[in-house]
Amino acid sequence: MNPKEFKWHERFMYLAKEVSTWSKDPSTQVGCVLVKDRRVISTGFNGFPRGLSDDLDRLTNREIKYEMTVHAEVNAVTTAALHGVSTDGCDAYVTFQPCSRCAAVLINAGIRSVYVATNDIPGRWLDNFILASKMLEESGILLKNLSLQTK
């Protein structure tokens, strides 16, 4: 990747990191930015669906939180759809590797590349992330780790 091209990837990943801070989840904050032709199409972060209370009791109860949370990738795709914006041919910049469910959504949304910030994957999720990587590869979507300098 040439330096000019990397600079754009870096900008979008830093934006995804900023978007991740909008999540109220006290343990895991994930951001996603969908980009087409160097233009931001949509953003998303992990959180509860619109209109639902995201009080601390729900956010700290893993059983409830996992069932209610919409992942950043799904929020980015559904926000684009809500506004009538096509995601076909977009690149996704995500601060955490997509799970298998999010990989399926990204595949069906027509995403062409997924760039993820380099992260350590917790062991309890490793099998699911391996499956997601295989799904993306089989569908022809580029999955690439993007190491960034700390800002």
Side-chain angles (χ1 to χ4, degrees):
M1 183 180 318
N2 70 49
K4 186 176 179 182
E5 182 181 345
F6 180 77
K7 189 70 175 172
W8 281 103
H9 291 299
E10 189 176 49
R11 288 174 179 146
F12 294 127
M13 187 58 76
Y14 281 126
L15 180 56
K17 286 185 177 224
E18 176 62 27
V19 169
S20 76
T21 67
W22 303 345
S23 170
K24 294 182 180 180
D25 189 321
S27 63
T28 304
Q29 295 181 317
V30 180
C32 178
V33 175
L34 301 181
V35 175
K36 188 170 189 176
D37 299 325
R38 293 186 183 164
R39 188 176 64 130
V40 174
I41 299 299
S42 186
T43 62
F45 55 91
N46 59 307
F48 294 165
R50 295 186 314 165
L52 297 186
S53 173
D54 51 9
D55 61 53
L56 198 55
D57 286 340
R58 285 180 169 176
L59 287 168
T60 55
N61 181 326
R62 283 187 184 261
E63 285 183 30
I64 292 172
K65 179 177 79 168
Y66 286 162
E67 291 302 317
M68 293 179 65
T69 297
V70 180
H71 289 188
E73 302 91 331
V74 175
N75 269 328
V77 169
T78 57
T79 297
L82 183 65
H83 296 287
V85 178
S86 173
T87 57
D88 194 36
C90 284
D91 297 318
Y93 294 84
V94 190
T95 59
F96 204 73
Q97 182 165 332
C99 67
S100 60
R101 290 182 191 171
C102 289
V105 169
L106 294 173
I107 291 165
N108 280 350
I111 302 301
R112 68 177 187 166
S113 304
V114 177
Y115 296 92
V116 297
T118 305
N119 283 330
D120 291 326
I121 298 170
R124 67 185 181 274
W125 297 336
L126 186 58
D127 289 343
N128 187 273
F129 288 154
I130 290 170
L131 175 61
S133 296
K134 289 178 182 178
M135 291 168 64
L136 293 168
E137 180 181 354
E138 184 176 334
S139 68
I141 295 175
L142 169 73
L143 175 63
K144 186 166 178 70
N145 280 342
L146 191 61
S147 296
L148 299 178
Q149 300 298 319
T150 304
K151 269 195 172 177

